[in-house]
Amino acid sequence: MSDTPPPQPLLDDEALDLLDDFLDSERAGADALDIIGAHGFLVALAVAPREVPAATWISELFHGEPAFADDSERETILGLLERLRGNAIVALEQGQLPELPFELALDGVAPEETPIGDWCAGFMEGVFLDEAAWFEDDEEAAATLLLPFMALSGLFDDEPDMAEFIADPREAERLVIQLPELVLDLYLHYRVPPEKPKPAPRKKKPAGRGGKRR
């Protein structure tokens, strides 16, 4: 048996359905992310090297101002979005893998034509929201860690190196299966500083004059 704990759902089915219905409605706006893209977007915000103001990410997620029916609906929908992000942070802090809202299999279909591609595209939108923070400390490490998300998102298909990265269907399937673990790897890279080596014990100085007992 594997010791790896099962991935943790970030919202229960009822809450996800409620969010799905709203994001798919005219009130959310034609350019709003759907539930899959929003899930990826909010997981990226949970991983992000620094906090993004709520007003900023809400505006980006909806690409405008949603037409909430009333204050109660506004509070409910925004509360669910914040809860999803917060639950992702808690799960990742505990070393748990996030459950993603789709099957981790391409079955021979191009990633950008699946929910997997939509989720990764949403994740990358979360990265683009504060791109400098993701790349400022170690651009090479960041690019390596984000490469699977970029390749699976379909947003970079015009770049030959990116297309080549997942040209092998077996390699693409391997990356898809690893997505939850890759999210945790990113979180550990950005949010958990490496342990500093313990300082060596200080050597006792030899007793000087007057150090002897009388």
Side-chain angles (χ1 to χ4, degrees), residues 40-123:
F41 180 81
L42 292 165
V43 169
L45 295 182
V47 170
R50 61 188 177 203
E51 295 293 318
V52 175
T56 301
W57 65 255
I58 289 169
S59 175
E60 184 66 21
L61 189 153
F62 289 103
H63 291 281
E65 179 64 28
F68 293 111
D70 49 37
D71 289 344
S72 176
E73 182 176 63
R74 178 186 180 87
E75 183 177 341
T76 297
I77 296 302
L78 297 186
L80 288 175
L81 294 171
E82 180 56 51
R83 196 200 315 170
L84 195 160
R85 187 185 77 95
N87 287 347
I89 292 173
V90 170
L92 293 167
E93 279 182 348
Q94 297 174 352
Q96 297 174 329
L97 304 181
E99 182 179 272
L100 306 186
F102 46 77
E103 294 294 326
L104 295 173
L106 290 169
D107 296 325
V109 181
E112 64 271 18
E113 297 176 11
T114 70
I116 295 163
D118 294 340
W119 188 90
C120 288
F123 189 96

Side-chain angles (χ1 to χ4, degrees), residues 21-36:
D21 288 343
F22 182 82
L23 292 173
D24 195 41
S25 72
E26 293 181 358
R27 298 196 307 285
D31 296 326
L33 296 178
D34 63 13
I35 186 63
I36 300 294

